[in-house]
């Protein structure tokens, strides 16, 4: 795939983010994009491999693309891996419309429906350690189209969130870390500091996706043109709406993130427990082997672990114990499991699969022809 | 006077003869003792087998699992009238997985204690359960955890705790016509009328037992034991030995009773409160407990007789009603549970007594006999019971 982004640097990133975001929450729609630049033609496809239907307040169910292409950190053998995610329908927050927005014609009952998704799914590996790489907030208008301009509200939001309460104390947020791209605000974290032999080499990086679906109920708005006009108003006044409901928004987001990260925090506690016990198991077992005068027993232990002496045995025993306990698999019917074989030991790739798209656009109309 | 006094207790002599005729050949007890007592090398080998199993699991990329015999399930217990409650050979096990958060702590604790035992046996030194706990209080959390795991390991390795070189401080007391020598050569004389002797913490090391006791009385409570001591009970009657485990007996008290039976072959009586708890304690001495059923052969004395305080004694002696206590809901539950135990079918007289308790719905402590007269217990009740065969 030829990278045409250098031809249209300003618009390419926005377009791919837009189509990607759109595709995420409209998984029933397959998008095919053909771009011709000079003599070069590039084709793109946006579609979901794994879809999940959610019933929201809206009469039309939401179909989310929950496909996850993250390569897990797998050691050697073939393992089950969930290729999708499990979105959670959160709370619905009713927000008030500021007076000047009402003056402009924005009426009705406005609410924000939260849906969260932790990805990749590691539910089948209850002992696996996880780190949170980033939290992404994505805002959609009532037609489930990504909001183009991200409100500044989300830039300052990290200052009002209690990350310690969320248990992500390594999440470092500042305005320069907040990336805003086509309706998406991303808060990134610093990698955890490595400390001695206890560092977790088989941890999986996860991201938290928070979908904010704006929903408006107005019995006087039924015509398509009215609906479109209303959505334009919502987008235009979104900053004010969010600021007008700052406290409620902050509390709601804190609650949603806390619920989503509960599983992550439980894993931390489980990991600490397993690591602590592993130290005792290792030291007790090696102590017996080291002080045994039974040569057959010592030789059998060394041979089975394919090592030469008790020092190597200690290292191999410890590593093996941590690996088998971390990768304990408890299959789940609700997961989208597939057999995956890892290529390298303890190496992982995380993040979205970005799809580049370039297209011819008309600057005077500000519409995209795809 | 002495001869006359001894003649009054012919019932006890008759009982002794009857017991000797009923019991197996005395050498069989010692044979069983040798069977259940593995050598130090055996213990080390068994521990090494466990470690090798763990290493093998890891080499096959599998999480190690420890299998502990399930000591708390009645399904694993069978009753033998000559032994008591014993663990079945095909017992179920509890799996401790090293990859499960709910069991990994216990897995680690078991390994830790195994490593301690390994060193003790290898160096032929001893430690108490208390020492083990205080060496790593953070890992174990409580003394009870260590106590339970030591018993689990004893069951898993099929070795008595004494073979693991782990000692427990005894809580029992003993007094009467008894002398013996401890393993370290110290001579113990239990004949002092003023002070009782603590039960030894190394029963297996006791030798040169000398006693002319005609019978032994197991006393449930320390208070009753002290009362007998204060009243010089052991000097007023034919030679005897009294022992108490101060409630639910520890292993050393039970081992001591068993050792005295093996050595002296004299009748052993139980003097317990007339309540379900007292009856249960008596059953522990006689038939053993579920938790220690794997070591029943060395802990039980199936010939123990129930001397008092019988529920029928309360009616017969017209014990004042103001010292009788109504049974609680828990008492009734425990009584029903006891009646369903497998060993009660072997004891119709005990069943009858317990049914009296169920019917009257009252219980009483031994101390309630003081309501009749202050010295009723030692001067009238016990002598008459022993004289006229008032045991079941």
């Amino acid at each position: 795939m030829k990278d045409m982004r250098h031809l249209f640097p300003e618009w390419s990133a926005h377009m791919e983010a837009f189509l990607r975001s759109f595709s995420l929450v409209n998984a029933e729609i397959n998008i095919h994009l053909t771009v011709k630049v000079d003599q070069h033609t590039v084709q793109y496809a946006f579609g979901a491999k794994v879809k999940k239907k959610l019933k929201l307040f809206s009469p039309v169910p939401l179909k989310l693309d929950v496909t996850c292409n993250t390569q897990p950190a797998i050691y050697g053998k073939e393992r089950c891996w969930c290729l999708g995610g499990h979105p959670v329908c959160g709370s619905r927050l009713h927000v008030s419309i500021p007076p000047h927005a009402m003056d402009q014609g924005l009426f009705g009952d406005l609410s924000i429906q939260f849906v969260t998704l932790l990805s990749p799914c590691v539910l089948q590996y209850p002992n696996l350690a996880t780190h949170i790489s980033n939290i992404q907030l994505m805002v959609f208008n009532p037609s489930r189209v990504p909001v183009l301009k991200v409100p500044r509200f989300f830039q300052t939001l990290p200052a009002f969130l209690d990350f310690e309460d969320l248990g992500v104390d390594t999440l470092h947020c500042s305005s320069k870390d907040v990336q805003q791209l086509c309706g998406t605000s991303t808060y990134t974290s610093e990698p955890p500091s490595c400390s001695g032999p206890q560092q977790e080499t088989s941890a999986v990086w996860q991201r938290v996706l928070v979908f904010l679906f704006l929903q408006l109920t107005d019995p006087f708005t039924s015509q398509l043109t009215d609906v479109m006009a209303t959505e334009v108003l919502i987008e235009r006044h979104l900053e004010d709406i969010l600021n007008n409901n700052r406290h409620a928004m902050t509390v709601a987001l804190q609650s949603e993130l806390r619920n989503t990260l509960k599983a992550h925090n439980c894993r931390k506690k489980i990991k600490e427990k397993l690591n602590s016990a592993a130290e005792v198991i290792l030291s007790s077992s090696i102590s017996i082997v080291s002080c045994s005068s039974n040569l057959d027993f010592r030789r059998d232990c060394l041979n089975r672990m394919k090592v030469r002496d008790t020092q190597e045995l200690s290292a191999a025993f410890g590593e093996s114990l941590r690996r088998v306990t971390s990768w304990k698999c408890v299959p789940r019917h609700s997961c989208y499991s597939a057999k995956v074989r890892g290529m390298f030991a303890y190496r992982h790739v995380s993040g979205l699969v970005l799809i580049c798209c370039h297209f011819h656009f008309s600057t005077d109309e500000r519409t995209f022809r795809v | 006077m002495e001869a006359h006094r001894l003649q009054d207790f012919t019932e006890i002599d008759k009982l002794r003869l009857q017991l000797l005729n009923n019991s197996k050949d005395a050498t069989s007890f010692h044979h069983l003792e040798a069977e259940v007592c593995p050598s130090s090398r055996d213990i080390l080998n068994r521990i090494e087998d466990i470690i090798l199993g763990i290493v093998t699991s890891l080499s096959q990329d599998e999480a190690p699992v420890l299998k502990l015999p399930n000591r708390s399930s009645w399904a694993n217990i069978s009753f033998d009238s000559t032994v008591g409650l014993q663990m079945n050979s095909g017992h179920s096990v509890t799996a401790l997985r090293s990859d499960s958060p709910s069991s990994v702590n216990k897995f680690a604790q078991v390994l830790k204690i195994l490593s301690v035992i390994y060193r003790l046996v290898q160096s032929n030194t001893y430690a108490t359960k208390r020492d083990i706990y205080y060496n790593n209080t953070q890992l174990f959390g409580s003394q009870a955890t260590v106590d339970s795991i030591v018993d689990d390991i004893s069951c898993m390795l099929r070795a008595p705790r004494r073979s693991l070189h782990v000692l427990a401080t005894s809580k029992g007391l003993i007094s009467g016509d008894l002398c013996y020598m401890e393993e370290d050569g110290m001579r113990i004389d239990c004949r002092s009328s003023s002070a009782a002797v603590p039960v030894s913490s190394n029963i297996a090391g006791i030798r040169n037992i000398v006693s002319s006791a005609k019978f032994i009385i197991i006393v449930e409570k320390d208070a009753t034991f002290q009362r007998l001591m204060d009243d010089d009970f052991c000097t007023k009657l034919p030679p005897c030995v009294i022992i108490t485990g101060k409630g639910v007996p520890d292993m050393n008290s039970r081992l001591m009773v068993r050792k005295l039976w093996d050595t002296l072959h004299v009748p052993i009586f139980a003097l317990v409160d007339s309540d379900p708890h007292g009856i249960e304690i008596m059953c522990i001495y006689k038939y053993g407990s579920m938790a220690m059923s794997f070591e029943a052969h060395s802990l039980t004395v199936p010939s123990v007789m129930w001397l008092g305080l019988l529920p029928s004694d309360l009616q017969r002696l017209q014990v004042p009603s103001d010292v009788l206590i109504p049974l609680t809901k828990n008492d009734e539950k425990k009584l029903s549970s006891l009646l369903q135990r497998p060993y009660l079918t072997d004891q119709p007289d005990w069943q009858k007594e317990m049914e009296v308790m169920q019917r009257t719905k009252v219980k009483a402590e031994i101390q309630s006999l003081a309501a009749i007269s202050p010295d009723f217990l030692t001067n009238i009740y016990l002598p008459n019971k022993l004289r006229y065969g008032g045991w079941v």
Side-chain angles (χ1 to χ4, degrees):
Chain A
M1 190 188 294
K2 216 168 176 179
D3 190 350
M4 299 292 180
R5 278 181 288 183
H6 68 281
L7 294 176
F8 304 103
E10 189 180 338
W11 293 102
S12 60
H14 283 278
M15 179 51 66
E16 70 189 62
F18 174 81
L19 288 175
R20 177 74 185 144
S21 298
F22 181 84
S23 178
L24 273 180
V25 300
N26 295 280
E28 69 275 24
I29 301 172
N30 289 324
I31 303 170
H32 296 273
L33 169 65
T34 304
V35 177
K36 192 173 179 180
V37 177
D38 297 330
Q39 279 87 38
H40 303 287
T41 303
V42 185
Q43 288 183 322
Y44 303 93
F46 298 87
K49 284 183 196 154
V50 185
K51 302 170 199 174
K52 177 75 181 172
K53 194 198 282 191
L54 283 181
K55 277 192 182 159
L56 301 183
F57 181 72
S58 163
V60 179
L62 172 70
K63 253 200 174 158
L64 276 180
D65 175 4
V66 296
T67 315
C68 180
N69 296 311
T70 301
Q71 281 284 341
I74 288 178
Y75 177 83
K77 74 180 196 189
E78 199 175 68
R79 296 185 192 270
C80 265
W81 193 251
C82 181
L83 298 179
H86 309 279
V88 174
C89 198
S91 60
R92 186 162 160 245
L93 175 70
H94 291 272
V95 294
S96 58
I97 300 171
H100 61 270
M102 281 196 265
D103 291 341
Q104 301 257 315
L106 182 58
F107 300 109
D109 179 20
L110 185 63
S111 61
I112 299 176
Q113 173 69 59
F114 294 94
V115 175
T116 53
L117 176 63
L118 195 53
S119 179
C121 165
V122 289
L123 292 173
Q124 295 186 109
Y125 295 94
N127 295 344
L128 205 52
T130 53
H131 298 299
I132 301 298
S133 62
N134 60 64
I135 298 175
Q136 291 183 359
L137 271 56
M138 304 170 88
V139 187
F140 297 87
N141 67 23
S143 299
R144 293 183 196 156
V145 175
V147 165
L148 283 178
K149 191 181 169 201
V150 176
R152 286 179 52 80
F153 174 86
F154 290 112
Q155 274 193 2
T156 57
L157 182 62
F160 296 93
L161 291 176
D162 184 352
F163 287 105
E164 203 177 316
D165 170 56
L166 299 175
V168 284
D169 50 5
T170 56
L171 199 70
H172 175 69
C173 299
S174 67
S175 57
K176 62 178 190 262
D177 290 329
V178 177
Q179 299 164 29
Q180 297 182 321
L181 207 63
C182 203
T184 304
S185 297
T186 304
Y187 311 111
T188 56
S189 71
E190 289 173 356
S193 58
C194 300
S195 50
Q198 295 295 326
Q199 59 180 302
E200 187 53 65
T201 53
S202 56
V204 170
W205 286 92
Q206 288 185 304
R207 63 190 172 125
V208 180
L209 285 162
V210 184
F211 299 93
L212 289 80
F213 294 101
L214 292 160
Q215 293 170 337
L216 184 75
T217 310
D218 183 359
F220 300 106
T221 304
S222 56
Q223 298 295 318
L224 183 60
T225 48
D226 292 337
V227 169
M228 290 175 67
T230 304
E231 293 199 1
V232 168
L233 278 173
I234 290 173
E235 276 203 45
R236 188 178 298 159
H237 294 283
L238 187 56
E239 183 77 59
D240 294 330
I241 291 168
L242 293 174
N243 283 322
N244 201 44
N245 296 272
R246 177 174 285 277
H247 177 72
M249 275 294 299
T250 309
V251 168
L253 271 169
Q254 182 84 25
S255 171
E256 293 300 321
L257 288 173
R258 192 188 304 118
N259 286 339
T260 308
L261 293 171
K262 219 185 274 184
H264 161 75
N265 291 326
C266 279
R267 278 174 188 273
K268 263 205 274 190
K269 290 195 175 92
I270 287 172
K271 204 62 206 166
E272 281 163 12
K273 198 175 188 180
L274 289 172
N275 282 346
S276 168
E279 287 301 312
V280 176
I281 295 168
L282 169 65
S283 63
S284 303
S285 304
I286 298 302
S287 152
I288 291 170
V289 177
S290 300
C291 62
S292 171
S293 58
N294 184 339
L295 292 176
D296 290 335
F297 164 65
R298 287 165 62 91
R299 189 181 51 240
D300 282 343
C301 288
L302 296 178
N303 287 345
R304 281 178 209 205
M305 293 301 284
K306 297 185 174 60
V307 294
R308 290 173 298 184
D309 53 39
T310 49
Q311 198 169 355
E312 286 184 13
L313 176 67
S314 178
F317 188 107
E319 195 166 290
S320 191
L321 183 61
R322 271 185 275 275
R323 189 178 61 247
V324 297
T325 54
S326 289
W327 286 102
K328 173 184 174 181
C329 179
V330 181
R332 287 165 57 98
H333 292 300
S334 57
C335 280
Y336 309 95
S337 292
K339 295 280 188 194
V340 180
R341 178 177 282 275
M343 293 180 63
F344 300 99
Y346 307 118
R347 184 176 154 187
H348 63 275
V349 172
S350 65
L352 285 169
V353 173
L354 296 177
I355 300 169
C356 300
C357 57
H358 302 275
F359 51 90
H360 184 74
F361 65 94
S362 170
T363 53
D364 53 346
E365 289 180 51
R366 274 201 89 208
T367 55
F368 303 120
R369 195 173 301 147
V370 173
Chain B
M1 178 75 168
E2 175 76 18
H4 178 72
R5 191 159 66 94
L6 289 171
Q7 267 176 4
D8 290 345
F9 296 92
T10 52
E11 288 299 318
I12 294 177
D13 294 327
K14 280 187 205 167
L15 176 61
R16 188 183 178 201
L17 282 170
Q18 187 187 327
L19 290 172
L20 282 172
N21 288 335
N22 289 344
S23 67
K24 291 180 181 177
D25 185 37
T27 55
S28 72
F29 290 106
H30 299 295
H31 178 63
L32 282 168
E33 182 83 6
E35 264 185 18
V36 301
C37 233
S39 68
S40 294
R41 188 65 244 167
D42 288 335
I43 303 287
L44 296 179
N45 285 343
R46 291 174 193 182
I47 295 176
E48 285 164 1
D49 284 344
I50 292 170
I51 301 302
L52 189 59
I54 292 172
V55 169
T56 305
S57 292
L58 289 177
S59 68
Q60 293 168 352
D61 223 26
E62 286 166 9
V65 178
L66 283 177
K67 292 194 177 139
L68 299 184
N70 191 345
R71 296 186 296 123
S72 59
S73 168
W74 279 107
N76 286 342
I77 309 291
S78 61
F79 172 67
D80 182 326
S81 58
T82 59
V83 176
L85 296 175
Q86 52 183 355
M87 187 171 263
N88 299 332
S89 54
H91 51 258
S92 64
V93 295
T94 302
L96 297 182
R97 295 191 62 91
S98 58
D99 60 356
S100 167
S102 61
S103 62
V104 71
N105 258 0
K106 189 163 181 185
F107 190 111
Q109 289 163 348
V110 170
L111 261 284
K112 181 66 183 175
I113 295 180
L114 275 175
S115 70
V116 169
I117 290 170
Y118 192 89
R119 293 230 181 212
L120 289 173
V121 172
Q122 204 182 40
S123 59
N124 198 23
T125 52
Y126 291 79
T128 63
K129 291 191 288 185
R130 207 161 175 75
D131 293 333
I132 296 173
Y133 167 63
Y134 277 108
N135 269 339
N136 207 325
T137 56
Q138 202 170 1
L139 172 65
F140 297 119
S142 69
Q143 181 68 60
T145 300
V146 172
D147 296 350
S148 172
I149 290 177
V150 167
D151 289 337
D152 281 331
I153 290 175
S154 176
C155 186
M156 184 168 65
L157 299 180
R158 302 176 317 279
R161 196 186 62 211
R162 54 194 174 278
S163 301
L164 307 180
H165 287 226
V166 176
L167 306 175
T169 317
S170 302
K171 62 173 180 157
L173 296 170
I174 193 163
S175 182
D177 191 321
L178 178 69
C179 294
Y180 58 84
M181 192 177 286
E182 296 261 30
E183 192 172 40
D184 59 3
M186 185 178 288
R187 184 134 190 92
I188 306 294
D189 188 343
C190 302
R191 289 174 296 185
S192 166
S193 57
S194 57
V197 171
V199 170
S200 170
S201 55
N202 181 12
I203 306 296
I206 290 175
R207 51 188 57 84
N208 299 348
I209 294 177
V210 175
S211 173
S212 52
K214 292 266 182 199
F215 57 89
I216 297 166
I217 299 183
I218 299 167
V219 183
E220 177 197 345
K221 295 190 314 206
D222 185 33
T224 312
F225 183 90
Q226 294 301 333
R227 186 56 206 255
L228 297 180
M229 289 286 296
D230 293 343
D231 291 351
D232 278 333
F233 176 78
C234 294
T235 54
K236 285 181 183 172
L237 285 173
C240 65
V241 171
I242 57 173
I243 183 171
T244 181
K246 295 185 184 176
V248 176
D250 60 327
M251 207 188 299
N252 286 331
S253 301
R254 294 171 63 185
L255 284 168
M256 188 66 185
V257 170
R258 176 63 198 229
K259 191 156 189 102
L260 291 175
W261 163 250
D262 286 342
T263 313
L264 305 177
H265 290 298
V266 294
I268 300 181
F269 301 110
L271 181 62
V272 300
D273 287 344
S274 177
D275 61 26
H277 185 59
I279 297 170
E280 188 166 45
I281 286 172
M282 179 174 57
C283 290
I284 291 174
Y285 283 103
K286 185 177 174 77
Y287 293 121
S289 61
M290 193 162 63
M292 298 303 297
S293 58
F294 62 94
E295 237 192 288
H297 287 275
S298 55
L299 291 174
T300 62
V301 182
S303 61
V304 165
M305 312 292 286
W306 187 0
L307 184 66
L309 180 58
L310 303 176
S312 57
D313 286 342
L314 300 177
Q315 293 173 333
R316 186 171 56 80
L317 298 171
Q318 294 177 334
V319 173
S321 56
D322 55 339
V323 298
L324 302 178
I325 307 163
L327 291 180
T328 64
K329 281 255 178 319
N330 281 341
D331 288 332
E332 288 182 40
K333 222 190 279 185
K334 187 182 276 290
L335 195 53
S336 301
S337 160
L338 283 167
L339 278 164
Q340 282 164 32
R341 299 264 171 98
Y343 40 71
L344 260 297
T345 51
D346 225 38
Q347 295 287 331
D349 291 333
W350 286 29
Q351 268 184 322
K352 277 187 200 144
E353 290 292 335
M354 288 161 73
E355 280 160 10
V356 167
M357 189 184 291
Q358 242 182 0
R359 213 167 39 246
T360 58
K361 294 192 189 317
V362 291
K363 58 183 178 182
E365 295 181 330
I366 293 169
Q367 281 69 29
S368 63
L369 295 178
I372 301 173
S373 72
D375 60 348
F376 189 82
L377 173 68
T378 45
N379 286 344
I380 299 170
Y381 178 77
L382 286 176
N384 281 340
K385 278 270 182 172
L386 292 163
R387 189 174 288 123
Y388 300 114
W391 51 77
V392 292

